[in-house]
Amino acid sequence: MFAQGLRRAGWLAGLPALALIWASATLYAAPQIADRIEAAGASVAAGTATATAIGEPWLRLEARGRDLAAAGEAPDVGERETVLAKLAALEGPRRIVSEVGLVETASPFLWAAIRTGAARVALEGSRPVEIGRRALEARVTGALAPGTHLDDTARAARGAPPDFASAAAFLAARLSGLAKGGRAALSDTVLSLSGEALDVPAYEALRAALSDPPTGFSIGRIEILPPAVAQYRFTVEKSARGVLLDGFAPSAADREAALRAAAEAVPGSTVQDRLLTARGLDPAIDPKTLIAFAFKLAELIQAGTVSFSDDAVSVTGDAIDAQAIPDAAALMREGRPAGVKPGSVALTARPLSPYRVAIRRTPEAVTLTGHLPDDATRERVLAALRPRLFREPVVDRTRLADGAPPDLGTALAAAAPLVANLAVGEVAVSDRALTLTGESLYREAAARTPERLAEALPPGWTGQATIAARQPAETRDPAACRAEAAATLAGAALRFPAGGATLTPAFYPVLDALAALAKACPSLRIAISAPADPGKPKPAPGEGAPAAEAAPTQMASTARPDSPAATGSAPKPAAKVHPEPETKPAPKKAEPPKAEPAKPGASNPAPAKPAGSKTPPTQKADKKSKDAVDEPPLDLPRLRGQAVIEYLLQAGVRPDQISAGPDAPAGPVAFALLP
């Protein structure tokens, strides 16, 4: 029993020696075996260089224990079989593991470089067969930070875009600014980039570089996440020089929104942009709402700063007026975006210098902006404006502030009638200097305005008026107008559809050209004669128009959208084509009062009846008899002529330039040039 235990212990004592022998074979013998196997195949790999145009072997060998793995892309099947046969004939390897592929055409041609570590980049996809693996790796490595290791699994393929190596180096250089997981890819000639920027300078460098891609390539999808900052801040600084933006914006879109808001806040002034794109804003705060709130506060200061830091907004500086101080406090108290904490409101009110106020006249409204000293001055200016305005509203956006020049109310009350009489214009006051600019409808009024302004201003004030007169419409030689009108109408054969009085698309080019000519030729006179349908008798006196016919105003509304009738030009009064007077007067009835008879160019809708009600036969007969007596007779030629006339009137032709002529024979509409 004891002897048996010794024998078992002897086996255990031999285990360390066995482990030592195995470790020696693994650490010393295995590498030597692998080197011998790879050396045996080196001559075969070197021989594949003659099959490529670049002189670089396409075959790559790697020893795996006593096995030899072969990889690469053979130019064709025959070359692959030849190389594998040579490897199989070697004596050292136990077996040949073939991973050899064939060079194919890749469409689309895809290649990507991926940052897998701080100093490690993986290459995948396809590489041009015309560029050797080592040559391409050298270009890519040169664009990366020194010491970066490449894991290249890209396969040779045909179909690469020209100058692929330059695009690959450009993309690899962009990886230097991305954190782990960043990806730079190429699809034919489109470059894309994704990942998170390492820091703010890297993000700005990436934005700048992507604006100038290699020649022949374009920038596709860019998904670069801005870096995160520990302390997020946003500042709007306002001064006489303009607006300065400083701090961060969560995205490029938010940055653009801040720049637009700054440009709108100080039109014509300088906007200095020091914003950087970075994350770090509390997700509960909407960045665009925060930007809008900051500029609302900035509107209340002449010079100062609105700042956001540590999730709180504060404002300091000189207020635009005394009223702005409580306004800022109220805005801070009630208008803060969600998630934003209230900060300090440290504003001081100083007399304004220069003191500015303006009255702007447009066709839609009259708007007052700037500052006034008190409510009495405001009411005086409004009282001078309102009696001279008929439809335009007065929009008062003025605020009260100290520092107004003497006699400001007198100067504005004197200038208000002058600007109200303009088509468009503006009165601008800066201290005791008043400037009036604009456009008058009348040349004489434009010439008299500077003199009237100088007489109306109080002593000590300076005034300058620059008023232009609208040029009259161009007129042309009457003979040339008639010749051009005749040429326009010579080839026109405008026909209505059978039984209808609706303009067809063929009418529009001719009528538009005729209207344009009539507006430039005030002496041009045109008569319109519309035809009846062939073989259709004219209605006898006392008979109504066919029920299928629409009223002329309804037909004129069929003008196409791009015709002058739909271009927003001022509406013209409609010309009336009166029918022949009836020989029999309409009977008079005392009660009930009857509706007015139907007129050409207007529709008379029948009064509504209760649902399901029926008209007794006797009432129907009476109504028919009444309509026959009261309604003027309408016929198809007159309806058609009215449709053409109303279209031309809507297009801007004056009523005295166009009239209805006698009915034309069956065929196209007839136009006659009157003397």
Side-chain angles (χ1 to χ4, degrees), residues 6-48:
L6 288 176
R7 285 195 297 270
R8 290 178 180 176
W11 282 105
L12 293 174
L15 287 178
L18 183 62
L20 182 61
I21 296 171
W22 178 84
S24 300
T26 301
L27 297 176
Y28 296 100
Q32 295 177 4
I33 295 173
D35 291 342
R36 286 198 300 270
I37 291 175
E38 289 183 359
S43 59
V44 178
T48 61

Side-chain angles (χ1 to χ4, degrees), residues 469-483:
R470 288 189 176 176
Q471 298 299 323
E474 177 187 2
T475 58
R476 300 172 58 181
D477 179 66
C481 290
R482 291 179 63 85

Side-chain angles (χ1 to χ4, degrees), residues 245-448:
L245 300 180
D246 199 1
F248 304 105
S251 67
D254 295 323
R255 184 175 182 176
E256 291 299 323
L259 291 174
R260 286 195 302 270
E264 294 171 0
V266 283
S269 297
T270 302
V271 177
Q272 189 174 358
D273 179 21
R274 293 183 185 172
L275 288 176
L276 300 173
T277 307
R279 293 175 295 131
L281 181 65
D282 186 343
I285 302 175
D286 178 60
K288 291 183 174 58
T289 305
L290 173 63
I291 292 170
F293 178 71
F295 277 97
K296 284 182 180 178
L297 288 173
E299 290 176 0
L300 301 175
I301 59 176
Q302 297 183 67
T305 302
V306 178
S307 60
F308 172 81
S309 181
D310 296 329
D311 295 340
V313 171
S314 59
V315 55
T316 60
D318 296 334
I320 57 174
D321 50 44
Q323 181 183 341
I325 298 176
D327 287 351
L331 187 62
M332 186 73 75
R333 184 174 57 254
E334 302 170 1
R336 292 192 326 276
V340 176
K341 302 174 184 176
S344 60
V345 177
L347 297 177
T348 57
R350 298 181 181 180
L352 300 183
S353 181
Y355 200 96
R356 292 190 175 96
V357 61
I359 305 173
R360 182 170 182 78
R361 171 77 156 94
T362 66
E364 294 78 24
V366 175
T367 306
L368 280 70
T369 57
H371 289 87
L372 294 172
D374 47 48
D375 288 327
T377 304
R378 176 183 288 159
E379 291 302 323
R380 184 178 181 184
V381 175
L382 294 176
L385 283 171
R386 286 176 176 141
R388 293 166 176 81
L389 302 173
F390 298 98
R391 295 177 302 273
E392 302 87 342
V394 178
V395 181
D396 181 16
R397 295 176 179 166
T398 57
R399 300 171 62 90
L400 303 182
D402 296 332
D407 299 324
L408 175 63
T410 303
L412 290 174
L418 300 179
V419 71
N421 291 334
L422 297 178
V424 292
E426 183 179 39
V427 168
V429 172
S430 178
D431 288 336
R432 301 177 76 179
L434 186 148
T435 303
L436 175 61
T437 58
E439 185 179 58
S440 174
L441 294 175
Y442 310 104
R443 186 176 299 277
E444 295 78 6
R448 289 196 304 266

